[in-house]
Amino acid sequence: MLESKAVLTRTRSRIPGPIAAILFLLMPLEARAQISLSSAEDLAEKNSPSVHGAVANVQRAAAALAEIKDAYIPNFVVGLGPGYSYGFPLGYPSLFNASSQSLVLSWSQRDYIRAARAAVNAANLSLKDAQQQVALDVALDYVELDHDLREIAALEEENGYAVSLVQIEQERVQAGVDAHLTQLQAELTAAQVEEKRIQLENDAEAMRQKIAHLTGLPANGLTTVSNSIPSPPAVDAMAGSEERSAPDNPGVSAAFANRSEE
């Protein structure tokens, strides 16, 4: 042991300080990112292509409404044309000319403005629906990952007890106190605990990949904050939610707004 330490000390002494610092920075470190539920939802909305598309639709609808309203604003055209005039009808030479054009009265233009406002309303509702859908997707994956991590922690503790039980049963069987069948049952229990833990780790890794895809964060070592998950609503608060879900749903409201454009 002393010899290995001396060799390690001699090896370190041969490496200059700056090079050793660079090698330390290049060493692979285990990255563990802990993120709360609200932060995951914000990152998912900023990283979602559907939300970006909905924002672009809102901007397009707002620009179309502004363009229709600008039809009532007069536009002026000023030109310069020195020289003599010719052709029919005959006129006087002109140095410059100016003209103005504006929409004064149009019954259909008000319908166009009303339809454009409905399109803006529908685009805003579609944006809200896309944001809620993204938040729902990342929340479901987040809650499942948190559940898997807590189950894995509990199974690791249970696995320690199962291994200790196997060792105890081995000693009791060797001492002739218990039958060999008892040891096999303890080993089977430990194997079942280990199998369940491996399954949960695979499921947790799948949830990490989904959250990483939604938020843009690295999936390696991604952990949750259990305190950031709100408690489920009470049973009384959920009563009658089916009747209120349809009018309060932004997707349904957007469909009604699109229908009103026609």
Side-chain angles (χ1 to χ4, degrees), residues 177-197:
V177 178
D178 291 340
H180 185 66
L181 180 61
T182 308
Q183 177 184 348
L184 294 178
Q185 291 177 352
E187 292 176 353
L188 177 61
T189 301
Q192 290 175 348
V193 172
E194 181 65 16
E195 180 185 5
K196 181 64 175 178
R197 186 185 65 83

Side-chain angles (χ1 to χ4, degrees), residues 57-257:
N57 289 333
V58 171
Q59 295 174 352
R60 182 180 61 181
L65 176 61
E67 182 180 3
I68 293 176
K69 286 184 176 180
D70 290 345
Y72 289 99
I73 300 177
N75 57 343
F76 295 92
V77 178
V78 179
L80 181 64
Y84 61 92
S85 62
Y86 59 90
F88 182 83
L90 299 176
Y92 296 99
S94 60
L95 296 178
F96 68 91
N97 52 36
S99 62
S100 176
Q101 184 177 2
S102 175
L103 182 64
V104 177
L105 179 62
S106 175
W107 298 106
S108 60
Q109 192 68 19
R110 292 185 296 179
D111 295 334
Y112 295 155
I113 294 176
R114 190 181 302 109
R117 287 175 178 171
V120 172
N121 185 28
N124 287 321
L125 291 173
S126 298
L127 173 60
K128 186 177 180 181
D129 181 63
Q131 291 174 343
Q132 290 184 357
Q133 185 61 44
V134 171
L136 176 61
D137 294 339
V138 72
L140 292 176
D141 297 335
Y142 188 93
V143 171
E144 187 171 354
L145 175 60
D146 182 75
H147 178 268
D148 291 340
L149 293 178
R150 287 186 294 174
E151 288 287 335
I152 289 172
L155 286 175
E156 287 178 352
E157 184 178 1
E158 185 178 354
N159 189 26
Y161 295 146
V163 172
S164 299
L165 180 60
V166 171
Q167 294 177 355
I168 293 174
E169 289 297 333
Q170 288 177 353
E171 294 176 358
R172 291 175 65 87
V173 169
Q174 292 176 1
V177 178
D178 291 340
H180 185 66
L181 180 61
T182 308
Q183 177 184 348
L184 294 178
Q185 291 177 352
E187 292 176 353
L188 177 61
T189 301
Q192 290 175 348
V193 172
E194 181 65 16
E195 180 185 5
K196 181 64 175 178
R197 186 185 65 83
I198 294 174
Q199 292 177 356
L200 288 175
E201 286 183 351
N202 292 333
D203 187 70
E205 186 61 27
M207 294 302 104
R208 287 191 181 99
Q209 295 293 336
K210 290 182 179 181
I211 295 175
H213 176 72
L214 292 173
T215 60
L217 295 175
N220 186 19
L222 188 64
T223 58
T224 61
V225 181
S226 301
N227 296 332
S228 64
I229 301 176
S231 58
V235 179
D236 297 337
M238 296 179 62
S241 60
E242 294 80 2
E243 290 76 7
R244 300 191 303 268
S245 60
D248 297 338
N249 192 333
V252 178
S253 301
F256 278 109

Side-chain angles (χ1 to χ4, degrees), residues 40-55:
E41 291 177 351
D42 293 338
L43 290 176
E45 290 181 5
K46 295 177 181 178
N47 194 53
S48 173
S50 61
V51 174
H52 292 171
V55 171

